[in-house]
Amino acid sequence: MKIYDISQEVFSCEVYPGDPVPEKIALKSMQEGEVYNLTAFSMCAHNGTHIDAPFHFIKDGKTVDEICLEAFVGMAYVAEHHGIVTGDNASQILEKAKKQNPEAAKRILIKGDVEVSLEAAKVFASSNILLLGNESQTIGPQSTPMAVHLALLGANVILLEGIRLLEVSEGVYLLNAAPLNLSGMDGSPCRAILIDADR
């Protein structure tokens, strides 16, 4: 069994332009004579590797704590692509995933420097997948991400953004990307991992 950590380290992670940078605050330090170390930290819910809940773009959408864990934990398919993901590309990715493992086709992770087009988002949204992940800090065009988010989150497709798949080959894996149980939140950081049971 091989475990791939596909999450970013929090304090050195990528940050969406304009979002606050994660910060750690030493509350107690043994180096300063305290009997223990104690640290606090602050961060945006969308720093580094994180999930987007529907509430991120939809006023009455589900918040993090309202999403079934099945969306984050289960078989997943890693597909490699570079550039813009078109509607045809999305259909091909889904077809390939279904042939390998129908359960994995419910959670699609796209490896590479990609931008999911609105047409692709509509294809994924209409396929009843549970989760769509990518390596960028946002699923759609960075300058205009709203339409793609609305198409996917409006269909209750959870987004897993900022993953790292450099060492992961195309194929089927067990995904665990469970977020923190944050009541009323629009997103959450997570420690995302993939498990290859055959290695």
Side-chain angles (χ1 to χ4, degrees):
M1 178 177 73
K2 183 167 178 59
I3 300 175
Y4 295 93
D5 185 350
I6 61 168
S7 54
Q8 300 179 53
E9 190 281 319
V10 170
F11 296 109
S12 61
C13 73
E14 283 193 40
V15 175
Y16 188 81
D19 285 354
V21 175
E23 179 184 7
K24 53 183 161 184
I25 306 112
L27 302 177
K28 300 283 186 181
S29 171
M30 294 175 73
Q31 191 172 349
E32 300 296 325
E34 304 284 356
V35 295
Y36 57 89
N37 292 311
L38 181 65
T39 308
F41 67 93
S42 66
M43 67 183 294
C44 173
H46 299 267
N47 286 159
T49 304
H50 66 279
I51 66 99
D52 284 0
F55 185 58
H56 186 34
F57 274 87
I58 298 169
K59 185 178 180 181
D60 298 317
K62 287 184 179 181
T63 55
V64 171
D65 55 306
E66 295 173 327
I67 301 168
C68 177
L69 285 175
E70 180 189 3
F72 312 108
V73 182
M75 303 309 293
Y77 182 74
V78 174
E80 185 165 359
H81 188 84
H82 297 279
I84 295 174
V85 181
T86 66
D88 286 343
N89 296 149
S91 295
Q92 291 163 9
I93 288 169
L94 287 166
E95 188 61 32
K96 202 171 177 182
K98 287 173 186 174
K99 283 182 181 177
Q100 292 213 25
N101 185 308
E103 181 63 24
K106 294 179 182 178
R107 299 168 197 86
I108 302 293
L109 308 180
I110 304 176
K111 174 181 178 176
D113 183 13
V114 302
E115 178 183 297
V116 175
S117 68
L118 181 56
E119 292 72 23
K122 289 176 179 177
V123 170
F124 286 125
S126 65
S127 70
N128 297 316
I129 65 172
L130 299 172
L131 177 143
L132 180 64
N134 71 320
E135 297 198 77
S136 172
Q137 288 306 114
T138 186
I139 201 81
Q142 187 167 314
S143 58
T144 54
M146 186 170 183
V148 170
H149 277 76
L150 285 174
L152 291 162
L153 295 174
N156 285 312
V157 177
I158 304 308
L159 305 180
L160 174 59
E161 298 173 328
I163 53 179
R164 293 295 177 258
L165 297 170
L166 181 63
E167 298 179 4
V168 181
S169 302
E170 278 197 333
V172 175
Y173 300 85
L174 176 61
L175 170 70
N176 184 339
L180 300 176
N181 190 4
L182 300 173
S183 176
M185 291 288 287
D186 51 272
S188 170
C190 62
R191 182 73 179 266
I193 63 170
L194 289 174
I195 299 173
D196 185 347
D198 297 329
R199 298 185 71 180

